[in-house]
């Protein structure tokens, strides 16, 4: 399965927190509803601020021919202070780009022609781009089918559905795995009334001494 566009960007790992208890230890008391809601709003506001700032910086550095067409950019991932976007130009060329909200590098890449990401004649998953900003962020398309879930070693990954491409014919999705994860994920798709599985390679090979999806 050919990957259309690939970008590897260096960065620190995203933080992930979870509440854990040891055997016999009393579970922590739940926080009141109001502080949780306030925290959620603050997190959402922070992501929106990063997204808006990154989009402004990205658009400011794009050549005119690579600007989004009628449809706006889709936010594929929001990083710690950075965001990843995908879009189609007015010529229907596929593009992606990432930028930090307040400074630093801006990275963009666009297909040379619409044919580089042409609609498939058969049902298939189309790997579009992978970036390693902090976590490894994957964007894939689905032609003549819909993605039901993506799993790593049987565990479902959080799947985000983005705006479709190619006049709505290609469904587009995004998901994340830890930055140095290798191997391949399993993609379950729906074709009409049936389901099938496909596999998609991650950025790194399965080297045995690092986390991997198999």
């Amino acid at each position: 399965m050919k990957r259309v566009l690939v970008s590897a960007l260096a960065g620190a790992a995203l933080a992930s927190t979870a509440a854990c208890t040891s055997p016999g230890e009393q579970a922590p008391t739940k926080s009141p509803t109001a502080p949780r809601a306030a925290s959620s709003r603050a997190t959402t506001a922070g992501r929106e601020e990063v997204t808006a700032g990154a989009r402004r910086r990205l658009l400011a550095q794009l050549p005119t021919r690579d600007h989004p067409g009628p449809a706006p950019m889709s936010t594929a991932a929001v990083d710690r202070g950075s965001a990843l976007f995908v879009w189609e130009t007015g010529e229907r060329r596929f593009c992606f780009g990432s930028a930090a909200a307040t400074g630093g590098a801006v990275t963009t890449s666009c297909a040379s022609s619409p044919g580089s990401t042409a609609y498939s004649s058969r049902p298939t998953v189309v790997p579009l781009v992978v970036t390693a900003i902090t976590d490894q962020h994957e964007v894939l398309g689905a032609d003549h089918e819909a993605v039901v879930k993506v799993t790593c070693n049987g565990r479902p990954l959080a799947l985000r559905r983005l705006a479709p491409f190619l006049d709505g014919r290609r469904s587009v999705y995004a998901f994340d795995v830890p930055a140095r994860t290798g191997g391949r994920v399993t993609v379950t798709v729906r074709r009409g009334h049936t389901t099938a599985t496909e596999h998609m390679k991650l950025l790194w090979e399965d080297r045995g001494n690092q986390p991997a999806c198999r």
Side-chain angles (χ1 to χ4, degrees), residues 12-32:
L14 278 174
S16 176
T17 60
C20 302
T21 58
S22 301
E25 182 180 347
Q26 184 177 359
T29 305
K30 291 184 178 180
S31 301

Side-chain angles (χ1 to χ4, degrees), residues 129-150:
V129 61
V130 55
T131 69
I133 304 173
T134 54
D135 279 357
Q136 187 178 157
H137 307 293
E138 298 263 357
V139 180
L140 67 152
D143 294 354
H144 303 285
E145 60 188 19
V147 175
V148 177
K149 63 180 178 180
V150 178

Side-chain angles (χ1 to χ4, degrees), residues 61-77:
Q61 297 195 33
L62 274 179
T64 301
R65 70 183 300 264
D66 291 342
H67 273 241
M73 293 177 169
S74 286
T75 306

Side-chain angles (χ1 to χ4, degrees), residues 69-86:
M73 293 177 169
S74 286
T75 306
V78 178
D79 214 308
R80 186 184 296 170
S82 301
L84 169 68
F85 304 94
V86 293

Side-chain angles (χ1 to χ4, degrees), residues 29-122:
T29 305
K30 291 184 178 180
S31 301
T33 301
R36 285 206 307 271
S39 176
S40 176
R41 287 195 297 271
T43 301
T44 300
R47 289 171 63 89
E48 291 175 349
E49 184 177 351
V50 168
T51 300
R55 183 185 289 111
R56 282 194 299 270
R57 295 191 64 241
L58 187 59
L59 287 170
Q61 297 195 33
L62 274 179
T64 301
R65 70 183 300 264
D66 291 342
H67 273 241
M73 293 177 169
S74 286
T75 306
V78 178
D79 214 308
R80 186 184 296 170
S82 301
L84 169 68
F85 304 94
V86 293
W87 68 94
E88 285 184 310
T89 69
E91 303 168 317
R92 290 291 188 264
R93 290 181 297 112
F94 175 79
C95 297
F96 77 92
S98 63
T102 58
V106 172
T107 300
T108 63
S109 182
C110 289
S112 58
S113 71
S116 300
T117 54
Y119 194 62
S120 175
S121 60
R122 60 182 181 83

